[in-house]
C-alpha cells in the first residue's frame, strides 16, 4: 500500500494509476484536513463488490430460512473459534 498526499497525487496521477493497476495495490491519498480516499484497480473493486453482493444474498437466504443465532449463541461461537 502506498500513501501519498493530495499534492503529490495530483502531480503524479497517471503514474499512481499505473502503479495501482500494474501492481494490484491500494494507493491512499490524504489531504491536509484529514480527508482520505483509497484508489484501487477497477478489477479489484469489481471482485470486492460482487463478493459483497453474494455474501448479502447468502445472508438473506439464511435469515429467510431461519438459520440464525441469537446474540448469546453467536458470542459463544465466536469465543469457541477464538480459542482454537
Amino acid at each position: 500500500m502506498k500513501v501519498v498526499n493530495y499534492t503529490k497525487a495530483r502531480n503524479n496521477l497517471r503514474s499512481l494509476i499505473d502503479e495501482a493497476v500494474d501492481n494490484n495495490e491500494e494507493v491512499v491519498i490524504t489531504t491536509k484536513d484529514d480527508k482520505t480516499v483509497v484508489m484501487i484497480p477497477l478489477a479489484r473493486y469489481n471482485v470486492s463488490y460482487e463478493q459483497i453482493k453474494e455474501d448479502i444474498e447468502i445472508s438473506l437466504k439464511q435469515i429467510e430460512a431461519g438459520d440464525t443465532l441469537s446474540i448469546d449463541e453467536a458470542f459463544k461461537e465466536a469465543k469457541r473459534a477464538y480459542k482454537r
Side-chain angles (χ1 to χ4, degrees):
M1 176 185 323
K2 185 173 197 157
V3 179
V4 296
N5 65 35
Y6 169 78
T7 303
K8 183 175 181 180
R10 183 185 62 222
N11 293 336
N12 299 290
L13 185 58
R14 176 58 196 236
S15 65
L16 289 172
I17 291 170
D18 289 343
E19 195 170 326
V21 172
D22 295 345
N23 299 325
N24 193 31
E25 73 173 359
E26 304 92 1
V27 177
V28 178
I29 303 170
T30 62
T31 66
K32 282 190 251 181
D33 54 350
D34 293 324
K35 293 181 179 177
T36 305
V37 298
V38 178
M39 180 171 56
I40 61 172
L42 181 60
R44 188 165 169 188
Y45 168 83
N46 287 337
V47 167
S48 298
Y49 182 75
E50 289 302 317
Q51 184 63 55
I52 290 168
K53 282 180 23 181
E54 183 180 317
D55 291 347
I56 289 170
E57 287 176 21
I58 290 169
S59 295
L60 289 174
K61 287 178 183 173
Q62 289 173 331
I63 290 168
E64 289 170 1
D67 187 13
T68 61
L69 299 174
S70 71
I71 191 69
D72 291 331
E73 293 169 325
F75 185 70
K76 286 177 188 174
E77 289 290 323
K79 280 176 56 177
R80 258 187 290 227
Y82 181 74
K83 289 180 181 178
R84 291 183 190 158

